Amino acid sequence: MIHAQGVAAVTDDDFDDEVLKAGLPVLVEFTADWCGPCRQLAPVLSALAAEEADRLKVVQLDVDTNPQIMARYGVLSMPTLMVFRGGEPVKSMIGARPKRRLLQELEEVIRPLSRRPENGDVKNGAPASA
């Protein structure tokens, strides 16, 4: 597996504990040694893991040695990036991208919980459910 520095590896055996039960949103990169775009993404993930550690956990899963999780979530292309929050997948992206674009795509799922309106909360003068 192309290991991104500062990014933990997860496996079929520990995925549920490390990802689904995590207290923060988790970005999972489904990766493989033979994946060229995965190599391009490694420094982006390393930077993201360091800079967003208080809002996001970043992990990698080698699809060649961990086929169960790949099959569970229907992952067919590498790299696939999936964000899990509260034990559920909430966002999926395919392909390498620069850090700025990845951060923009992740902002909705990693922003602080206090900024997310709940049903009945007022946003712009109207209830959020309106």
Side-chain angles (χ1 to χ4, degrees):
M1 173 175 75
I2 300 148
H3 184 74
Q5 185 176 359
V7 176
V10 295
T11 66
D12 284 344
D13 294 332
D14 66 6
F15 184 87
D16 290 356
D17 288 333
E18 295 295 323
V19 175
L20 303 184
K21 296 178 183 175
L24 292 173
V26 182
L27 174 64
V28 179
E29 179 202 21
F30 291 83
T31 187
D33 283 333
W34 46 263
C35 170
C38 298
R39 290 185 223 291
Q40 295 172 323
L41 197 54
V44 172
L45 293 179
S46 293
L48 193 66
E51 294 168 16
E52 297 294 335
D54 59 332
R55 299 193 305 160
L56 181 71
K57 180 177 179 178
V58 181
V59 300
Q60 293 177 293
L61 184 126
D62 184 340
V63 298
D64 291 329
T65 57
N66 298 284
Q68 293 173 349
I69 298 301
M70 185 179 101
R72 182 193 300 178
Y73 293 103
V75 174
L76 300 173
S77 300
M78 290 342 116
T80 291
L81 301 167
M82 292 185 83
V83 180
F84 291 80
R85 188 173 59 211
E88 297 293 328
V90 294
K91 188 167 188 72
S92 182
M93 302 161 279
I94 297 172
R97 60 235 317 118
K99 185 175 85 170
R100 181 186 308 214
R101 179 173 160 211
L102 182 56
L103 277 170
Q104 289 171 340
E105 292 174 311
L106 292 172
E107 189 57 36
E108 179 66 26
V109 293
I110 66 172
R111 69 178 181 213
L113 292 174
S114 62
R115 290 175 41 195
R116 254 187 240 122
E118 298 294 328
N119 285 342
D121 284 353
V122 175
K123 181 179 179 182
N124 297 328
S129 58

